[in-house]
């Protein structure tokens, strides 16, 4: 019964948004690159800024960052070993590493977290007390994930991997400045409430959730090839099943992390591969495998995400 409740309130709404993007992509000529620019350069930085400003992270909350880094490093090693056994083509091996190690947290993470913590057992009497902090913790991981995607992820799938080019990509990541501005505003007690900015930023949360979910649906429509070949299926199983189990094991290394942060880490670990990879692939073979993997992982996550959310409730009931 719990699994059905999770599917109804957490997974089904995401499918509705994805279906909306699928329908729009079939009826209209939508330029995905434009949506990606709007999300990564405007909406995502505003979302991260507002959530980190509302609930500044504590020292124990910052443990999420090394935990996520360690998880990503382990996944990269596992995926590299897997890629060696699946393909002899260097570009395809790079693509497999990307599919298994980098999550789509900047697109689906916000929607999934918002839905998970906005109803029972995390909310009652119309009050979602845990939601603001959950979104703030997720914003930390969004910042880290997008930085890794623009630097390490780009280095995986392209030849442009010099230290100077990667540093430049990191310094030109807008979401990083959204997080830094939030920390600065909180540190110097700069008030935003009562200014014209506060209601605008407050409404960015809803805009961000809808826009990212619909854009993901558009991307799925563009890559509507569900594939069960081993070079797609095995990395998907690593990302959707092995990754959450690894995250559970890593939590033993960070005992001072609170239960809510642990749940956010598990959700981070269970999210499908980053859709951004379909845009940064440098060869047609890479782009093809990224697009096929996106559809496959999104389809399988309909089954795996409810299980991970159920595990969150089972292992960390104290946060409810």
């Amino acid at each position: 019964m719990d699994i059905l409740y999770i599917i109804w309130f957490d997974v089904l709404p995401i499918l509705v948004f994805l279906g909306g993007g699928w329908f729009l992509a079939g009826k209209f000529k939508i330029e995905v690159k434009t949506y990606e620019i709007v999300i990564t350069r405007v909406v995502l930085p505003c979302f991260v800024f507002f959530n980190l400003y509302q609930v500044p992270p504590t020292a124990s909350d910052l443990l999420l960052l090394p935990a996520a880094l360690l998880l990503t490093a382990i996944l990269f090693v596992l995926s590299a070993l897997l890629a060696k056994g699946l393909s002899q083509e260097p570009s395809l091996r790079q693509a497999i590493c990307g599919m298994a190690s980098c999550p789509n947290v900047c697109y689906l993470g916000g929607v999934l977290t918002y839905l998970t913590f906005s109803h029972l057992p995390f909310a009652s009497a119309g009050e979602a007390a845990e939601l603001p902090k959950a979104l703030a913790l997720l914003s930390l991981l969004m910042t880290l994930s997008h930085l890794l995607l623009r630097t390490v992820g780009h280095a995986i799938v392209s030849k442009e991997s010099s230290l100077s080019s990667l540093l430049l990509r990191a310094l030109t990541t807008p979401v990083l400045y959204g997080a830094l501005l939030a920390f600065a505003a909180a540190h110097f007690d700069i008030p935003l409430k009562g200014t014209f900015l506060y209601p605008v930023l407050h409404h960015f949360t809803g805009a961000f959730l809808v826009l990212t979910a619909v854009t993901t649906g558009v991307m799925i429509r563009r890559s509507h090839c569900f594939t069960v070949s081993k070079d797609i299926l095995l990395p998907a199983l690593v990302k959707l099943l092995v990754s959450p189990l690894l995250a559970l094991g890593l939590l033993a290394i960070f005992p001072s992390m609170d239960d809510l942060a642990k749940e956010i880490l598990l959700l981070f670990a269970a999210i499908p591969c980053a859709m951004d990879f379909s845009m940064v692939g440098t060869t047609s073979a890479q782009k093809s495998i990224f697009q096929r993997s996106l559809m496959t992982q999104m389809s399988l996550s309909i089954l795996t995400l409810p299980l991970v959310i159920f595990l969150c409730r089972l292992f960390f009931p104290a946060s409810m």
Side-chain angles (χ1 to χ4, degrees):
M1 186 61 68
D2 285 341
I3 293 292
L4 294 178
Y5 183 87
I6 291 169
I7 292 174
W8 182 259
F9 284 101
D10 297 335
V11 177
L12 186 60
I14 295 178
L15 295 180
V16 171
F17 283 122
L18 297 181
W22 178 286
F23 174 79
L24 289 174
K27 292 293 182 180
F28 305 100
K29 186 178 181 181
I30 298 177
E31 180 55 56
V32 179
K33 185 64 177 177
T34 302
Y35 279 76
E36 189 251 349
I37 291 173
V38 171
I39 290 172
T40 58
R41 297 182 181 273
V42 181
V43 185
L44 178 60
C46 290
F47 177 85
V48 167
F49 170 81
F50 183 71
N51 287 298
L52 289 178
Y53 174 81
Q54 285 219 111
V55 186
T58 63
S60 62
D61 294 334
L62 294 177
L63 291 174
L64 266 176
L65 298 178
L69 274 173
L70 186 55
L71 174 64
T72 304
I74 295 173
L75 285 175
F76 177 76
V77 172
L78 288 178
S79 61
L81 294 174
L82 180 64
K84 284 187 177 180
L86 291 177
S87 176
Q88 300 301 316
E89 174 62 36
S91 63
L92 295 184
R93 289 159 90 177
Q94 293 164 351
I96 291 170
C97 288
M99 290 187 304
S101 57
C102 294
N104 194 9
V105 67
C106 291
Y107 284 80
L108 288 183
V111 184
L112 182 64
T113 301
Y114 188 91
L115 292 172
T116 301
F117 291 94
S118 60
H119 60 77
L120 291 172
F122 300 101
S124 61
E127 295 291 330
E130 299 284 1
L131 182 59
K133 184 174 182 180
L135 292 177
L137 295 174
L138 180 75
S139 295
L140 284 175
L141 294 182
M142 282 180 165
T143 305
L144 175 66
S145 178
H146 202 57
L147 275 171
L148 289 176
L149 187 63
R150 282 182 53 83
T151 54
V152 179
H154 192 271
I156 290 175
V157 299
S158 71
K159 298 177 181 178
E160 187 183 328
S161 56
S162 67
L163 183 60
S164 59
S165 66
L166 296 182
L167 180 60
L168 179 62
R169 292 184 66 83
L171 293 176
T172 54
T173 303
V175 69
L176 173 63
Y177 296 99
L180 292 177
L181 284 174
F183 292 140
H187 178 74
F188 294 107
D189 294 322
I190 300 175
L192 285 183
K193 287 187 177 181
T195 68
F196 72 94
L197 285 174
Y198 191 84
V200 173
L201 291 172
H202 182 74
H203 290 297
F204 257 95
T205 297
F208 174 79
L209 300 178
V210 174
L211 187 59
T212 52
V214 171
T215 302
T216 304
V218 174
M219 285 295 299
I220 294 174
R221 175 78 184 214
R222 300 285 174 83
S223 57
H224 57 275
C225 180
F226 184 89
T227 307
V228 291
S229 61
K230 63 179 181 180
D231 59 336
I232 298 294
L233 188 58
L234 290 180
L237 294 178
V238 169
K239 185 69 202 72
L240 300 176
L241 293 178
V242 177
S243 178
L245 294 177
L246 287 173
L248 268 178
L250 287 176
L251 292 178
I253 306 176
F254 302 95
S256 59
M257 190 185 299
D258 67 24
D259 283 350
L260 184 59
K262 292 176 181 177
E263 292 179 55
I264 294 298
L265 182 65
L266 278 182
L267 292 179
F268 169 82
I271 293 173
C273 67
M275 59 181 283
D276 306 61
F277 270 124
S278 62
M279 303 174 189
V280 300
T282 56
T283 67
S284 58
Q286 283 182 333
K287 290 179 180 179
S288 173
I289 199 171
F290 287 142
Q291 290 173 347
R292 289 184 289 133
S293 179
L294 175 63
M295 181 63 181
T296 304
Q297 289 199 23
M298 287 297 301
S299 301
L300 293 176
S301 68
I302 296 172
L303 302 175
T304 58
L305 282 176
L307 294 176
V308 173
I309 296 173
F310 178 76
L311 285 179
C312 288
R313 299 179 180 185
L314 183 66
F315 283 98
F316 311 114
S319 67
M320 299 180 187

